Structure formats: structure tokens, C-alpha cells
Amino acid sequence: MDSSLTSPPHGTSASTTEIVPVRRPRRRRVGAGLVAAAFLLTGCQLPTFGEYKGSTTQARTEYHLWQGFFIAGLVVGVFVLMLITWAIVRYRRKSEEIPPQHQYHTLTEIIYTVVPILIVLVLFVFTVLAENKVTALESNPATSIHVYAFQWGWEFEYPNGVKVIGQTTNDPTMVVPTGETVRIRLDSYDVLHGFYVPEFNFSRYATPGYSTYFDLNVIHNGTYRGQCTQLCGLYHSLMFFNVKSVSPADYATWLRTELALAKAHPSSAPQLPSGVHAGGGTSSNSNAGGLPYGD
Ligand SMILES: [Cu+2]
């Protein structure tokens, strides 16, 4: 045994009355360190780990799940690195002799089987809870927008009949009210497209013949870039759109103004490009909540 563990520090006697006072300052330092760490950790925010913080309430849920996964990965990674380092140092070659050979350590084997399974189960439960929140459909959404994807653009149709259409070099903008639930019904007129807004941490397939429903609750006013994420043909790379979130009052005003303009100038109403047949992609099939990759 290492004699330093049992021997008193150099220059002190072996009596316990002199050893105990030496340990107390160390405990105090550890205690103070823990308190300081607690204050520091609660005072600062966790890093984003490269993820968007999320501009919708649904996106925030995804963001927090991402943080949890990343931290779990870091803890496991650091622990494994420490084990590897320890094994490299502790069992490095010290002589030409073959070291004692062992096999089977039941307790270790049980631990390294059970612990990873527990980790996966915990991550699975948090994933299911987060997905249920993200795909939940509110019973009374404030507004609904019918989104159609086509080669190569987007059509946004509002409950009062207002339509916004844009393609390739003319990105359409979907206006939504901030802080309210917006129900999206997503369809495709032709082939498979992808509705993706990076800052919403969210993507869904627009599937021909299959309607996908989801809710968005944008937290702050702003304009968010969106794009098609499914290679859908020649000008897929130009299939962008914007989501502009404004106050509910501004949203109502915008809807009224657009409707009045459409009625005043019916001939200048936005048109789908020739070759895109409206109604070709919708059906009574529905995918409430939406599968992340269609089906
Ligand atoms: Cu597309």
C-alpha cells in the first residue's frame, strides 16, 4: 500500500488532532467551489450546440431536445475518453513479461449492458414527449393556411380566398400572425417536395395525394427563410419562400387589404404556372400531425 496514504504529512505528528484541521479548509474550498459552480451554471445559458434556438414554440421543444441529446453525448464521450486514457496509462507495457490474463467480469459486463440501454430508453422517452408536443394539433387554431408545393414554387391559400403564389426567382411570402396558432395543411400539386424552415427546426414532405397537417406558433415578429428540401426537378434549388410573422392586428389588416385588391383587380390575381394543375395533388387522405418524412 502507498505509505503516503497512511502517513501524516511531512513535518507533522501522527496525532488525529493535528490532521483534522488540515482537511477542513479543503472541504470548505470544495463546498465554496460547488456553490460558485451552481451560481455560474444557473447564471449562464447552455450553448446551442449549432442548433437554431427556434422561432416557434414547436421549434423550442426540438431545440431543448437537441441540447439534452448533445449533453448526453458529451457526458458519454468524456467518460469513454477517460476510461480509454486510464487504460492506456494504467496498463501500458512496463516489462517484457506477459501480464496476468483475466476473462469475464460479470458485474462490469452487466453494468456496460444495462447502462447504455437505460440511456437509450431515457432518450427515447424524451423524444416521444417532444414529438408529441411538436405534432400536437390545437383544437381551435387562430387561422389556417393551405400550402401547395409545385414545380417550382409555392401557393399559400388563406381562409378568405386570398392566394399568394411565387416561384423560382420570385419567392412567395406566407404571412402569419405572431403568437397565435397557425394550422398548415400541406399538399403537393405534382411531385414530392419538402417544406422546410430552418429557424423553425421543422421539415415535412409535401406529398401528392396526401394532406399533411401541422401547427406553427411563431414567437416573435420577423421574416424567416424557407426552402424545398426534396430534390424535385430542374429548379429545385430556386424553390424558396418566406414566412413573415406580424402582429395579429397587422395580419387581419393584411388579409383584408389583399382580399380588397383581389376583388378590385381580379385579372391581376396570382396564377399558377401553366403545366401545374390545381387540384391534382389533394385528396381526402390526411396525415394529422404529419410524419417527418411523409410515408
Ligand atoms: Cu420542390
Side-chain angles (χ1 to χ4, degrees):
M1 185 180 278
D2 185 350
S3 60
S4 65
L5 296 176
T6 51
S7 301
H10 186 68
T12 59
S13 77
S15 69
T16 52
T17 51
E18 291 182 37
I19 289 172
V20 170
V22 173
R23 284 182 176 173
R24 272 184 185 156
R26 186 182 294 170
R27 281 184 189 167
R28 275 194 217 115
R29 278 201 300 273
V30 170
L34 285 173
V35 171
F39 275 109
L40 280 173
L41 289 173
T42 50
C44 66
Q45 288 193 323
L46 285 172
T48 62
F49 302 115
E51 174 73 306
Y52 285 106
K53 281 187 176 176
S55 301
T56 62
T57 54
Q58 293 82 359
R60 288 284 163 91
T61 304
E62 290 288 355
Y63 169 63
H64 291 138
L65 183 71
W66 167 259
Q67 283 183 311
F69 266 66
F70 211 104
I71 290 167
L74 277 178
V75 169
V76 171
V78 168
F79 180 66
V80 169
L81 264 179
M82 283 168 58
L83 281 182
I84 291 172
T85 309
W86 173 73
I88 289 171
V89 174
R90 174 76 176 77
Y91 297 105
R92 68 189 184 281
R93 192 168 77 173
K94 291 163 191 157
S95 71
E96 294 304 317
E97 277 181 44
I98 294 175
Q101 303 294 301
H102 303 286
Q103 58 180 336
Y104 307 124
H105 192 295
T106 310
L107 180 63
T108 308
E109 287 172 23
I110 288 173
I111 288 172
Y112 73 56
T113 303
V114 171
V115 170
I117 289 173
L118 285 177
I119 292 172
V120 170
L121 281 176
V122 169
L123 294 179
F124 176 76
V125 168
F126 277 108
T127 303
V128 170
L129 293 175
E131 284 195 349
N132 285 345
K133 278 172 93 172
V134 170
T135 58
L137 295 177
E138 201 173 292
S139 53
N140 286 310
T143 188
S144 58
I145 303 171
H146 201 157
V147 178
Y148 296 92
F150 59 85
Q151 291 172 309
W152 289 271
W154 303 89
E155 179 185 73
F156 306 120
E157 186 179 3
Y158 288 83
N160 65 354
V162 164
K163 284 184 183 179
V164 176
I165 298 175
Q167 59 169 326
T168 56
T169 54
N170 175 29
D171 303 339
T173 296
M174 179 169 80
V175 180
V176 298
T178 302
E180 293 192 336
T181 302
V182 180
R183 169 73 38 79
I184 303 291
R185 177 182 172 181
L186 181 62
D187 278 299
S188 169
Y189 280 140
D190 37 47
V191 300
L192 205 60
H193 297 277
F195 177 98
Y196 175 49
V197 182
E199 286 181 69
F200 293 178
N201 295 333
F202 187 86
S203 176
R204 284 292 183 275
Y205 273 171
T207 314
Y210 201 78
S211 298
T212 301
Y213 294 86
F214 54 87
D215 284 355
L216 299 173
N217 295 65
V218 183
I219 299 168
H220 301 295
N221 290 355
T223 301
Y224 309 96
R225 198 88 168 119
Q227 64 194 79
C228 177
T229 44
Q230 187 64 23
L231 184 58
C232 58
L234 186 60
Y235 295 114
H236 158 70
S237 61
L238 298 178
M239 215 172 137
F240 291 101
F241 62 96
N242 297 305
V243 178
K244 187 179 179 187
S245 198
V246 297
S247 69
D250 287 349
Y251 172 73
T253 307
W254 176 83
L255 260 187
R256 275 199 307 274
T257 310
E258 290 295 310
L259 184 62
L261 282 173
K263 281 181 176 170
H265 308 283
S267 57
S268 60
Q271 299 291 323
L272 285 168
S274 59
V276 176
H277 302 292
T282 57
S283 82
S284 56
N285 289 335
S286 70
N287 178 18
L291 296 170
Y293 305 109
D295 75 350

mmCIF file of all heavy atoms in Angstrom, residues 78-106:
data_model
loop_
_atom_site.group_PDB
_atom_site.id
_atom_site.type_symbol
_atom_site.label_atom_id
_atom_site.label_comp_id
_atom_site.label_asym_id
_atom_site.label_seq_id
_atom_site.Cartn_x
_atom_site.Cartn_y
_atom_site.Cartn_z
ATOM 1 N N VAL A 78 -17.007 11.950 -22.942
ATOM 2 C CA VAL A 78 -15.935 12.284 -21.983
ATOM 3 C C VAL A 78 -15.630 11.085 -21.085
ATOM 4 O O VAL A 78 -14.466 10.763 -20.820
ATOM 5 C CB VAL A 78 -16.343 13.524 -21.136
ATOM 6 C CG1 VAL A 78 -15.400 13.709 -19.950
ATOM 7 C CG2 VAL A 78 -16.355 14.770 -22.003
ATOM 8 N N PHE A 79 -16.682 10.391 -20.639
ATOM 9 C CA PHE A 79 -16.497 9.220 -19.782
ATOM 10 C C PHE A 79 -15.690 8.139 -20.518
ATOM 11 O O PHE A 79 -14.751 7.566 -19.969
ATOM 12 C CB PHE A 79 -17.864 8.680 -19.358
ATOM 13 C CG PHE A 79 -17.792 7.472 -18.477
ATOM 14 C CD1 PHE A 79 -17.259 7.567 -17.202
ATOM 15 C CD2 PHE A 79 -18.232 6.233 -18.928
ATOM 16 C CE1 PHE A 79 -17.180 6.453 -16.378
ATOM 17 C CE2 PHE A 79 -18.159 5.118 -18.115
ATOM 18 C CZ PHE A 79 -17.624 5.215 -16.841
ATOM 19 N N VAL A 80 -16.029 7.891 -21.779
ATOM 20 C CA VAL A 80 -15.320 6.876 -22.559
ATOM 21 C C VAL A 80 -13.860 7.288 -22.775
ATOM 22 O O VAL A 80 -12.950 6.471 -22.649
ATOM 23 C CB VAL A 80 -16.037 6.644 -23.912
ATOM 24 C CG1 VAL A 80 -15.179 5.791 -24.853
ATOM 25 C CG2 VAL A 80 -17.385 5.980 -23.692
ATOM 26 N N LEU A 81 -13.656 8.586 -23.062
ATOM 27 C CA LEU A 81 -12.283 9.076 -23.246
ATOM 28 C C LEU A 81 -11.456 8.889 -21.976
ATOM 29 O O LEU A 81 -10.287 8.497 -22.023
ATOM 30 C CB LEU A 81 -12.310 10.556 -23.617
ATOM 31 C CG LEU A 81 -12.238 10.885 -25.110
ATOM 32 C CD1 LEU A 81 -12.304 12.392 -25.306
ATOM 33 C CD2 LEU A 81 -10.960 10.336 -25.730
ATOM 34 N N MET A 82 -12.090 9.172 -20.827
ATOM 35 C CA MET A 82 -11.394 8.998 -19.549
ATOM 36 C C MET A 82 -11.040 7.532 -19.336
ATOM 37 O O MET A 82 -9.937 7.206 -18.889
ATOM 38 C CB MET A 82 -12.267 9.513 -18.398
ATOM 39 C CG MET A 82 -12.274 11.034 -18.287
ATOM 40 S SD MET A 82 -13.553 11.645 -17.175
ATOM 41 C CE MET A 82 -13.138 10.832 -15.673
ATOM 42 N N LEU A 83 -11.964 6.630 -19.657
ATOM 43 C CA LEU A 83 -11.689 5.196 -19.495
ATOM 44 C C LEU A 83 -10.535 4.764 -20.402
ATOM 45 O O LEU A 83 -9.651 4.011 -19.973
ATOM 46 C CB LEU A 83 -12.944 4.384 -19.851
ATOM 47 C CG LEU A 83 -14.048 4.304 -18.796
ATOM 48 C CD1 LEU A 83 -15.176 3.420 -19.297
ATOM 49 C CD2 LEU A 83 -13.504 3.752 -17.485
ATOM 50 N N ILE A 84 -10.564 5.249 -21.652
ATOM 51 C CA ILE A 84 -9.505 4.879 -22.602
ATOM 52 C C ILE A 84 -8.153 5.384 -22.091
ATOM 53 O O ILE A 84 -7.161 4.649 -22.056
ATOM 54 C CB ILE A 84 -9.821 5.465 -24.004
ATOM 55 C CG1 ILE A 84 -11.027 4.747 -24.608
ATOM 56 C CG2 ILE A 84 -8.613 5.342 -24.926
ATOM 57 C CD1 ILE A 84 -11.534 5.378 -25.893
ATOM 58 N N THR A 85 -8.149 6.668 -21.646
ATOM 59 C CA THR A 85 -6.903 7.258 -21.150
ATOM 60 C C THR A 85 -6.390 6.486 -19.940
ATOM 61 O O THR A 85 -5.196 6.176 -19.834
ATOM 62 C CB THR A 85 -7.131 8.738 -20.770
ATOM 63 O OG1 THR A 85 -7.764 9.389 -21.866
ATOM 64 C CG2 THR A 85 -5.828 9.429 -20.455
ATOM 65 N N TRP A 86 -7.300 6.179 -19.040
ATOM 66 C CA TRP A 86 -6.921 5.438 -17.840
ATOM 67 C C TRP A 86 -6.325 4.079 -18.217
ATOM 68 O O TRP A 86 -5.287 3.673 -17.706
ATOM 69 C CB TRP A 86 -8.156 5.241 -16.954
ATOM 70 C CG TRP A 86 -7.905 4.342 -15.774
ATOM 71 C CD1 TRP A 86 -7.194 4.629 -14.653
ATOM 72 C CD2 TRP A 86 -8.360 2.990 -15.637
ATOM 73 N NE1 TRP A 86 -7.181 3.555 -13.808
ATOM 74 C CE2 TRP A 86 -7.890 2.527 -14.386
ATOM 75 C CE3 TRP A 86 -9.112 2.141 -16.424
ATOM 76 C CZ2 TRP A 86 -8.150 1.251 -13.931
ATOM 77 C CZ3 TRP A 86 -9.381 0.862 -15.973
ATOM 78 C CH2 TRP A 86 -8.900 0.426 -14.734
ATOM 79 N N ALA A 87 -6.959 3.380 -19.151
ATOM 80 C CA ALA A 87 -6.473 2.054 -19.556
ATOM 81 C C ALA A 87 -5.099 2.165 -20.220
ATOM 82 O O ALA A 87 -4.212 1.340 -19.981
ATOM 83 C CB ALA A 87 -7.475 1.404 -20.514
ATOM 84 N N ILE A 88 -4.929 3.215 -21.042
ATOM 85 C CA ILE A 88 -3.645 3.389 -21.742
ATOM 86 C C ILE A 88 -2.526 3.625 -20.733
ATOM 87 O O ILE A 88 -1.451 3.039 -20.817
ATOM 88 C CB ILE A 88 -3.730 4.581 -22.731
ATOM 89 C CG1 ILE A 88 -4.625 4.223 -23.911
ATOM 90 C CG2 ILE A 88 -2.342 4.980 -23.220
ATOM 91 C CD1 ILE A 88 -4.926 5.405 -24.819
ATOM 92 N N VAL A 89 -2.795 4.481 -19.744
ATOM 93 C CA VAL A 89 -1.754 4.837 -18.776
ATOM 94 C C VAL A 89 -1.536 3.715 -17.765
ATOM 95 O O VAL A 89 -0.409 3.281 -17.508
ATOM 96 C CB VAL A 89 -2.134 6.162 -18.056
ATOM 97 C CG1 VAL A 89 -1.131 6.469 -16.951
ATOM 98 C CG2 VAL A 89 -2.213 7.299 -19.064
ATOM 99 N N ARG A 90 -2.648 3.226 -17.231
ATOM 100 C CA ARG A 90 -2.563 2.246 -16.145
ATOM 101 C C ARG A 90 -1.965 0.918 -16.622
ATOM 102 O O ARG A 90 -1.213 0.268 -15.903
ATOM 103 C CB ARG A 90 -3.968 2.034 -15.584
ATOM 104 C CG ARG A 90 -4.115 0.949 -14.537
ATOM 105 C CD ARG A 90 -3.577 1.407 -13.199
ATOM 106 N NE ARG A 90 -3.792 0.421 -12.152
ATOM 107 C CZ ARG A 90 -3.051 -0.682 -12.013
ATOM 108 N NH1 ARG A 90 -2.072 -0.923 -12.843
ATOM 109 N NH2 ARG A 90 -3.300 -1.522 -11.023
ATOM 110 N N TYR A 91 -2.301 0.512 -17.820
ATOM 111 C CA TYR A 91 -1.876 -0.803 -18.301
ATOM 112 C C TYR A 91 -0.870 -0.706 -19.442
ATOM 113 O O TYR A 91 -0.824 -1.561 -20.318
ATOM 114 C CB TYR A 91 -3.111 -1.622 -18.721
ATOM 115 C CG TYR A 91 -4.027 -1.891 -17.549
ATOM 116 C CD1 TYR A 91 -5.215 -1.191 -17.400
ATOM 117 C CD2 TYR A 91 -3.664 -2.817 -16.565
ATOM 118 C CE1 TYR A 91 -6.039 -1.413 -16.308
ATOM 119 C CE2 TYR A 91 -4.478 -3.048 -15.464
ATOM 120 C CZ TYR A 91 -5.664 -2.340 -15.346
ATOM 121 O OH TYR A 91 -6.463 -2.561 -14.254
ATOM 122 N N ARG A 92 -0.111 0.363 -19.475
ATOM 123 C CA ARG A 92 0.919 0.465 -20.507
ATOM 124 C C ARG A 92 1.980 -0.606 -20.245
ATOM 125 O O ARG A 92 2.116 -1.096 -19.111
ATOM 126 C CB ARG A 92 1.532 1.859 -20.501
ATOM 127 C CG ARG A 92 2.348 2.182 -19.274
ATOM 128 C CD ARG A 92 2.723 3.647 -19.264
ATOM 129 N NE ARG A 92 3.595 3.959 -18.145
ATOM 130 C CZ ARG A 92 3.181 4.136 -16.900
ATOM 131 N NH1 ARG A 92 1.892 4.002 -16.599
ATOM 132 N NH2 ARG A 92 4.039 4.431 -15.933
ATOM 133 N N ARG A 93 2.723 -0.948 -21.272
ATOM 134 C CA ARG A 93 3.713 -2.021 -21.114
ATOM 135 C C ARG A 93 4.824 -1.573 -20.181
ATOM 136 O O ARG A 93 5.442 -0.524 -20.404
ATOM 137 C CB ARG A 93 4.289 -2.402 -22.467
ATOM 138 C CG ARG A 93 5.090 -3.696 -22.390
ATOM 139 C CD ARG A 93 5.415 -4.222 -23.746
ATOM 140 N NE ARG A 93 6.505 -3.462 -24.344
ATOM 141 C CZ ARG A 93 7.089 -3.792 -25.471
ATOM 142 N NH1 ARG A 93 6.682 -4.856 -26.143
ATOM 143 N NH2 ARG A 93 8.064 -3.060 -25.975
ATOM 144 N N LYS A 94 5.056 -2.378 -19.125
ATOM 145 C CA LYS A 94 6.091 -1.993 -18.160
ATOM 146 C C LYS A 94 7.279 -2.935 -18.232
ATOM 147 O O LYS A 94 8.360 -2.639 -17.738
ATOM 148 C CB LYS A 94 5.511 -2.028 -16.745
ATOM 149 C CG LYS A 94 4.483 -0.917 -16.520
ATOM 150 C CD LYS A 94 3.626 -1.189 -15.304
ATOM 151 C CE LYS A 94 2.460 -0.251 -15.237
ATOM 152 N NZ LYS A 94 1.352 -0.787 -14.444
ATOM 153 N N SER A 95 7.060 -4.127 -18.758
ATOM 154 C CA SER A 95 8.181 -5.078 -18.889
ATOM 155 C C SER A 95 7.864 -6.023 -20.026
ATOM 156 O O SER A 95 6.805 -5.921 -20.658
ATOM 157 C CB SER A 95 8.360 -5.853 -17.580
ATOM 158 O OG SER A 95 7.280 -6.759 -17.438
ATOM 159 N N GLU A 96 8.753 -6.926 -20.262
ATOM 160 C CA GLU A 96 8.554 -7.889 -21.342
ATOM 161 C C GLU A 96 7.670 -9.054 -20.895
ATOM 162 O O GLU A 96 7.304 -9.904 -21.685
ATOM 163 C CB GLU A 96 9.910 -8.431 -21.825
ATOM 164 C CG GLU A 96 10.790 -7.368 -22.485
ATOM 165 C CD GLU A 96 10.102 -6.682 -23.647
ATOM 166 O OE1 GLU A 96 9.453 -7.371 -24.454
ATOM 167 O OE2 GLU A 96 10.183 -5.440 -23.735
ATOM 168 N N GLU A 97 7.355 -9.074 -19.612
ATOM 169 C CA GLU A 97 6.543 -10.182 -19.099
ATOM 170 C C GLU A 97 5.095 -10.048 -19.565
ATOM 171 O O GLU A 97 4.561 -8.937 -19.631
ATOM 172 C CB GLU A 97 6.543 -10.164 -17.565
ATOM 173 C CG GLU A 97 7.755 -10.836 -16.960
ATOM 174 C CD GLU A 97 7.686 -10.803 -15.438
ATOM 175 O OE1 GLU A 97 6.588 -11.077 -14.897
ATOM 176 O OE2 GLU A 97 8.714 -10.463 -14.827
ATOM 177 N N ILE A 98 4.486 -11.187 -19.850
ATOM 178 C CA ILE A 98 3.067 -11.153 -20.206
ATOM 179 C C ILE A 98 2.265 -10.895 -18.933
ATOM 180 O O ILE A 98 2.450 -11.591 -17.928
ATOM 181 C CB ILE A 98 2.626 -12.485 -20.840
ATOM 182 C CG1 ILE A 98 3.337 -12.664 -22.184
ATOM 183 C CG2 ILE A 98 1.113 -12.544 -21.016
ATOM 184 C CD1 ILE A 98 3.076 -13.983 -22.855
ATOM 185 N N PRO A 99 1.400 -9.865 -18.936
ATOM 186 C CA PRO A 99 0.656 -9.550 -17.710
ATOM 187 C C PRO A 99 -0.359 -10.647 -17.385
ATOM 188 O O PRO A 99 -0.664 -11.469 -18.245
ATOM 189 C CB PRO A 99 -0.065 -8.241 -18.065
ATOM 190 C CG PRO A 99 -0.081 -8.194 -19.544
ATOM 191 C CD PRO A 99 1.076 -8.977 -20.037
ATOM 192 N N PRO A 100 -0.852 -10.641 -16.135
ATOM 193 C CA PRO A 100 -1.845 -11.658 -15.764
ATOM 194 C C PRO A 100 -3.054 -11.590 -16.693
ATOM 195 O O PRO A 100 -3.539 -10.507 -17.013
ATOM 196 C CB PRO A 100 -2.245 -11.287 -14.332
ATOM 197 C CG PRO A 100 -1.428 -10.137 -13.945
ATOM 198 C CD PRO A 100 -0.563 -9.719 -15.067
ATOM 199 N N GLN A 101 -3.511 -12.722 -17.125
ATOM 200 C CA GLN A 101 -4.643 -12.775 -18.066
ATOM 201 C C GLN A 101 -5.939 -13.067 -17.310
ATOM 202 O O GLN A 101 -6.005 -13.977 -16.508
ATOM 203 C CB GLN A 101 -4.400 -13.877 -19.110
ATOM 204 C CG GLN A 101 -3.108 -13.697 -19.887
ATOM 205 C CD GLN A 101 -3.125 -12.453 -20.758
ATOM 206 O OE1 GLN A 101 -3.972 -12.306 -21.631
ATOM 207 N NE2 GLN A 101 -2.196 -11.543 -20.517
ATOM 208 N N HIS A 102 -6.986 -12.226 -17.581
ATOM 209 C CA HIS A 102 -8.287 -12.438 -16.933
ATOM 210 C C HIS A 102 -9.365 -12.552 -18.000
ATOM 211 O O HIS A 102 -9.225 -12.007 -19.077
ATOM 212 C CB HIS A 102 -8.643 -11.257 -16.024
ATOM 213 C CG HIS A 102 -7.615 -10.980 -14.982
ATOM 214 N ND1 HIS A 102 -7.457 -11.778 -13.878
ATOM 215 C CD2 HIS A 102 -6.669 -10.008 -14.883
ATOM 216 C CE1 HIS A 102 -6.468 -11.304 -13.140
ATOM 217 N NE2 HIS A 102 -5.960 -10.228 -13.736
ATOM 218 N N GLN A 103 -10.427 -13.210 -17.668
ATOM 219 C CA GLN A 103 -11.605 -13.157 -18.534
ATOM 220 C C GLN A 103 -12.847 -13.198 -17.661
ATOM 221 O O GLN A 103 -12.818 -13.728 -16.558
ATOM 222 C CB GLN A 103 -11.614 -14.291 -19.546
ATOM 223 C CG GLN A 103 -11.575 -15.672 -18.929
ATOM 224 C CD GLN A 103 -11.590 -16.741 -20.007
ATOM 225 O OE1 GLN A 103 -12.059 -16.493 -21.108
ATOM 226 N NE2 GLN A 103 -11.086 -17.914 -19.702
ATOM 227 N N TYR A 104 -13.885 -12.602 -18.178
ATOM 228 C CA TYR A 104 -15.188 -12.485 -17.513
ATOM 229 C C TYR A 104 -15.120 -11.626 -16.247
ATOM 230 O O TYR A 104 -14.358 -11.902 -15.338
ATOM 231 C CB TYR A 104 -15.783 -13.855 -17.132
ATOM 232 C CG TYR A 104 -15.849 -14.804 -18.286
ATOM 233 C CD1 TYR A 104 -15.241 -16.058 -18.207
ATOM 234 C CD2 TYR A 104 -16.513 -14.442 -19.459
ATOM 235 C CE1 TYR A 104 -15.285 -16.930 -19.273
ATOM 236 C CE2 TYR A 104 -16.562 -15.313 -20.536
ATOM 237 C CZ TYR A 104 -15.949 -16.560 -20.445
ATOM 238 O OH TYR A 104 -15.988 -17.400 -21.499
ATOM 239 N N HIS A 105 -15.884 -10.586 -16.244
ATOM 240 C CA HIS A 105 -16.110 -9.815 -15.034
ATOM 241 C C HIS A 105 -17.596 -9.487 -15.051
ATOM 242 O O HIS A 105 -18.023 -8.514 -15.680
ATOM 243 C CB HIS A 105 -15.257 -8.543 -15.024
ATOM 244 C CG HIS A 105 -15.241 -7.870 -13.679
ATOM 245 N ND1 HIS A 105 -16.378 -7.333 -13.126
ATOM 246 C CD2 HIS A 105 -14.240 -7.672 -12.794
ATOM 247 C CE1 HIS A 105 -16.076 -6.816 -11.946
ATOM 248 N NE2 HIS A 105 -14.774 -7.015 -11.719
ATOM 249 N N THR A 106 -18.353 -10.364 -14.410
ATOM 250 C CA THR A 106 -19.817 -10.328 -14.561
ATOM 251 C C THR A 106 -20.400 -8.959 -14.227
ATOM 252 O O THR A 106 -21.218 -8.428 -14.986
ATOM 253 C CB THR A 106 -20.466 -11.399 -13.649
ATOM 254 O OG1 THR A 106 -19.790 -12.624 -13.879
ATOM 255 C CG2 THR A 106 -21.942 -11.564 -13.986
#
